Amino acid sequence: MTELERACESFRILMEEQQARIAKMQAEKVDFSKKDTVTIGLVDGDGIGPLIMNQAVKVLETLLADEIAAGKIILKRIEGLTIENRLAKNQPVPTEVLAEIKTCDVLLKGPTTTPMGGKMESANVTLRRELDLYANVRPVSIPGEGIDWMFYRENTEGEYVLGSRGVELPGMAVDFKVTTDAGTRRIARAAFDYARQNGKNRVSIVTKANIMKKTDGKFTAICHEVAAEYPEISVDDWYIDIMTANLVNPAIRNQFQVMVMPNLYGDIITDEAAQIQGGVGTAGSANIGDRYAMFEAIHGSAPRMLEEGLGDYANPSSILKAEAMLLRHICRGAAAEKLENALENCKTVVTGDRSGATGAQFTEDLMMLL
Ligand code: IPM
Ligand code: MG
């Protein structure tokens, strides 16, 4: 076989796998208001992960104390999603860890380090795919400026689904981007449902359909199809380049409400949005599927902070915001609201270095407000 034939053969296998994935996409939604017990898996992750998770777990135990005592909520610690164990097992999510995770309903997860280069996939990407967490939901708000954005990022396909499985030929490399009808329809529905249920009247579709004509073209077309089912909501579309500019344009940025987009654009623009809000340490992130959901900080594991001895100064705000989203997802709206209010009113400032409070101080002050 020539190298070209080998490349074509691996392309064929990839396409077959992707077609098979479409067939597996329908799942039934869990209704948490009707579930007797909810199991929350707690996964530390790497770097500052265990440190911020400690703070988040203290808050969770306080907020849910009665239901934990009554056995209605089960908090389950899951070990082994560490970079050391993943490298030792040569698996982005070791088999036994994934099995434990699948016994839970929802997960609160600290950041996990992604090995650079090599072949190993990011644990996040693996979990999103294995648990079919198709909606990455990231809110950003700056009340003083009237900014209240909600990003619906497609989370299981696009540039990510085959991101570790590109093809190399002499002198060149090819990666693949995959957009499916079903995958687009479900993220579009999630975005429009959110808008409808939260009194929003505008959804903006963000792509680069002028260049990615097939994939982003399909994404745009299907979002418009879904939009037709929500006549009370206005819809507009934008290219990602101008949208990144819009977010730093004070004249118009507070007019955007809900934004829906393919995976990679969502990855990039939500970091930008979080930075506008005050830093990537300040935003929470939810990965939602029909069966499972995973809530995490938007930032990484910050190994540099540990190297510099600054672990105690890691900011737990992002994971705590994710925790509030988790509470809302499992229909514990009152607890979610308590946490959100406390986060909004806590005046203790964590700067990530010795000039600010430690994560533990912040959490202690926050818990006084619960
Ligand atoms: C995010 C992160 C991840 C992503 C990484 C850690 C794989 O940047 O959640 O935005 O690219 O999606
Ligand atoms: Mg990112």
Side-chain angles (χ1 to χ4, degrees):
M1 235 197 254
T2 65
E3 294 208 46
L4 182 59
E5 282 164 349
R6 232 190 309 277
C8 291
E9 175 57 14
S10 57
F11 181 65
R12 191 182 62 79
I13 293 168
L14 292 177
M15 293 305 104
E16 277 173 5
E17 282 177 21
Q18 290 306 302
Q19 295 247 280
R21 186 171 62 82
I22 298 174
K24 285 191 294 191
M25 249 185 247
Q26 293 89 336
E28 222 178 289
K29 275 204 173 95
V30 176
D31 183 353
F32 284 98
S33 68
K34 298 208 175 85
K35 247 179 149 288
D36 293 336
T37 59
V38 178
T39 304
I40 305 176
L42 305 169
V43 188
D44 274 352
D46 304 307
I48 60 169
L51 300 166
I52 56 173
M53 276 294 287
N54 269 342
Q55 308 308 326
V57 172
K58 276 193 263 179
V59 173
L60 201 57
E61 284 172 343
T62 306
L63 282 169
L64 299 176
D66 293 345
E67 287 199 280
I68 293 172
K72 290 194 167 150
I73 299 266
I74 298 162
L75 299 187
K76 183 168 180 178
R77 283 248 174 216
I78 295 173
E79 313 282 341
L81 196 68
T82 58
I83 183 74
E84 295 79 12
N85 194 35
R86 288 183 286 135
L87 289 175
K89 302 267 163 67
N90 196 25
Q91 285 181 307
V93 179
T95 311
E96 69 282 5
V97 178
L98 185 61
E100 281 287 287
I101 284 176
K102 286 189 170 170
T103 66
C104 303
D105 296 298
V106 293
L107 294 181
L108 187 66
K109 179 186 144 302
T112 39
T113 302
T114 304
M116 264 237 252
K119 282 225 146 132
M120 190 176 298
E121 188 176 58
S122 133
N124 270 23
V125 173
T126 306
L127 284 171
R128 290 169 185 170
R129 192 186 51 242
E130 291 293 328
L131 306 177
D132 205 18
L133 307 174
Y134 60 84
N136 193 310
V137 182
R138 295 182 164 173
V140 164
S141 74
I142 309 171
E145 272 196 59
I147 291 177
D148 188 11
W149 296 326
M150 184 56 99
F151 295 89
Y152 271 80
R153 161 187 174 190
E154 200 293 319
N155 210 27
T156 45
E157 45 188 51
E159 305 77 357
Y160 279 65
V161 64
L162 296 175
S164 315
R165 302 183 58 196
V167 172
E168 276 178 312
L169 280 166
M172 65 181 276
V174 183
D175 279 318
F176 305 109
K177 166 164 172 165
V178 183
T179 298
T180 66
D181 292 27
T184 306
R185 204 162 276 126
R186 63 187 186 173
I187 185 69
R189 286 232 164 81
F192 281 95
D193 281 344
Y194 170 83
R196 177 171 278 173
Q197 284 155 21
N198 290 275
K200 309 284 179 194
N201 56 22
R202 180 179 185 191
V203 173
S204 306
I205 306 162
V206 185
T207 67
K208 188 75 182 172
N210 50 342
I211 303 299
M212 296 278 99
K213 293 187 192 291
K214 294 282 182 255
T215 50
D216 286 358
K218 177 185 281 304
F219 192 93
T220 307
I222 289 182
C223 284
H224 278 287
E225 255 175 62
V226 171
E229 297 166 30
Y230 301 78
E232 79 280 19
I233 297 167
S234 75
V235 56
D236 40 31
D237 43 271
W238 298 84
Y239 297 136
I240 180 67
D241 47 353
I242 192 62
M243 199 60 175
T244 58
N246 290 343
L247 294 196
V248 287
N249 180 352
I252 57 165
R253 65 178 175 184
N254 62 7
Q255 293 159 23
F256 294 103
Q257 300 181 3
V258 181
M259 285 160 267
V260 61
M261 63 214 50
N263 211 338
L264 185 60
Y265 310 136
D267 176 46
I268 297 166
I269 206 167
T270 54
D271 265 13
E272 185 199 17
Q275 188 61 40
I276 293 169
Q277 176 181 255
V280 293
T282 65
S285 171
N287 301 268
I288 297 181
D290 292 332
R291 167 73 185 84
Y292 297 104
M294 174 171 89
F295 299 81
E296 61 185 352
I298 195 175
H299 55 75
S301 57
R304 232 167 313 168
M305 284 192 82
L306 292 195
E307 279 159 29
E308 289 167 23
L310 293 173
D312 289 344
Y313 296 88
N315 192 349
S317 302
S318 180
I319 191 98
L320 286 165
K321 284 203 180 148
E323 185 167 290
M325 294 173 86
L326 180 154
L327 290 165
R328 221 170 261 296
H329 183 74
I330 60 169
C331 299
R332 267 56 178 187
E337 208 172 309
K338 265 194 206 168
L339 177 51
E340 283 159 359
N341 288 339
L343 280 166
E344 217 177 293
N345 294 323
C346 186
K347 297 286 170 271
T348 309
V349 180
V350 184
T351 51
D353 57 31
R354 292 187 177 81
S355 70
T358 62
Q361 272 157 13
F362 174 84
T363 308
E364 205 174 296
D365 297 347
L366 178 95
M367 283 174 46
M368 308 266 268
L369 302 171
L370 289 179

